[in-house]
């Protein structure tokens, strides 16, 4: 920055003898440099500048914040294992490819001798040998190859939205089970493969779902509203 009066002589712009003032600043001081044309000298006069003053921080008012406690786990009783804590899980996936459904939930004509006229589950038909995955995190409460009409099947209990939900995967292939009773599984983990064991008319996954009361409900509608990926 320069300060001074200007005059014009013979068409030339000349500066008067008013000194020019140059100011530079560093982190810790300001240097004021004064140039005097008559003396043709430059003098530097350091000046202190306080840049280290502390800024007072207001204390945090902890009462202004609300901390939501994590929901308590659900205790599940697993035969031969004992009590198992089920942590709430937000992720739900399709157990198999849902694009082909052979039979829905509810009343129907019995498809075979001994088959019921009320279908307790959903029949998916992704093809024989297709992998079956757990639809959510949980703990295995049944894993057997001697399931009677259900054939080779697995049951898994989950804590979904703070509610106990059980999923059952029936008619799996012999020798395909990948889990055992008491084992913790995650959403999308392979538990077996599609087969036609038990009372079955062809390869498919028979999926049943029920809550703490044991009453079966429409798993297809439930999955359509809960699947997250």
């Amino acid at each position: 920055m320069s300060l001074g009066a200007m005059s014009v002589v013979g068409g030339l712009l000349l500066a008067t003898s008013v000194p020019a003032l140059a100011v530079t600043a560093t982190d810790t001081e300001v240097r004021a440099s004064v140039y005097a044309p008559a003396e043709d000298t430059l003098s530097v006069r350091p000046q202190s500048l306080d840049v280290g003053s502390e800024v007072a921080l207001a204390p945090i008012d902890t009462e202004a914040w609300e901390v939501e406690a994590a929901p308590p786990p659900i205790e599940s009783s697993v035969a031969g294992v004992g009590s198992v804590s089920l942590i709430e899980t937000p992720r739900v996936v399709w157990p198999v490819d849902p694009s082909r459904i052979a039979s829905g939930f509810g009343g129907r004509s019995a498809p075979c001798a001994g088959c019921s006229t009320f279908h307790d589950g959903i029949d998916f038909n992704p093809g024989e040998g297709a992998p079956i995955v757990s639809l959510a995190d949980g703990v295995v409460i049944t894993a057997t190859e001697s399931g009677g009409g259900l054939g080779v099947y697995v049951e898994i209990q989950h804590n979904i939205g703070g509610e106990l939900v059980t999923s059952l995967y029936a008619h799996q292939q012999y020798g395909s089970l990948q889990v055992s009773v008491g084992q913790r599984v995650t959403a999308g983990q392979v538990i077996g493969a599609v087969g036609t064991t038990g009372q079955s008319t062809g390869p498919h996954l028979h999926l049943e779902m029920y809550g703490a009361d044991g009453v079966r409900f429409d798993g297809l509608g439930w999955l359509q509203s809960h699947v997250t990926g």
Side-chain angles (χ1 to χ4, degrees):
M1 178 174 65
S2 62
L3 300 173
M6 309 299 292
S7 61
V8 178
V9 179
L12 298 176
L13 182 64
L14 300 177
T16 66
S17 59
V18 178
L21 176 64
V23 179
T24 60
T26 68
D27 289 342
T28 59
E29 66 180 14
V30 172
R31 296 179 179 273
S33 303
V34 180
Y35 175 69
E39 301 173 2
D40 196 21
T41 60
L42 177 65
S43 61
V44 178
R45 303 170 185 171
Q47 301 178 7
S48 64
L49 176 65
D50 183 8
V51 295
S53 58
E54 297 183 356
V55 178
L57 298 177
I60 297 176
D61 182 6
T62 56
E63 295 183 356
W65 296 85
E66 293 184 1
V67 179
E68 183 176 349
I74 292 176
E75 295 297 324
S76 175
S77 179
V78 182
V81 176
S83 181
V84 178
S85 294
L86 296 175
I87 306 300
E88 183 176 347
T89 174
R91 185 175 181 231
V92 176
V93 301
W94 291 101
V96 292
D97 179 358
S99 61
R100 297 175 63 188
I101 297 176
S103 182
F105 179 85
R108 66 174 181 177
S109 297
C112 66
C115 290
S116 67
T117 56
F118 187 91
H119 196 214
D120 282 337
I122 304 295
D123 288 348
F124 295 94
N125 188 13
E128 186 170 7
I132 301 169
V133 304
S134 175
L135 59 82
D137 295 355
V139 63
V140 178
I141 61 171
T142 306
T144 181
E145 290 197 336
S146 304
L150 295 175
V152 179
Y153 80 99
V154 171
E155 277 183 294
I156 303 175
Q157 287 191 331
H158 320 273
N159 178 349
I160 301 176
E163 296 184 2
L164 181 67
V165 176
T166 302
S167 54
L168 184 155
Y169 314 76
H171 306 314
Q172 299 185 45
Q173 285 183 343
Y174 284 116
S176 71
L177 292 185
Q178 302 295 309
V179 294
S180 57
V181 173
Q183 180 178 341
R184 291 185 182 276
V185 295
T186 58
Q189 180 175 335
V190 175
I191 60 174
V194 171
T196 185
T197 58
Q199 214 162 32
S200 171
T201 58
H204 68 284
L205 166 64
H206 172 79
L207 175 73
E208 294 182 13
M209 298 191 67
Y210 57 94
D213 58 4
V215 177
R216 271 54 177 173
F217 57 81
D218 184 357
L220 180 60
W222 187 92
L223 283 166
Q224 288 173 333
S225 64
H226 284 81
V227 166
T228 56

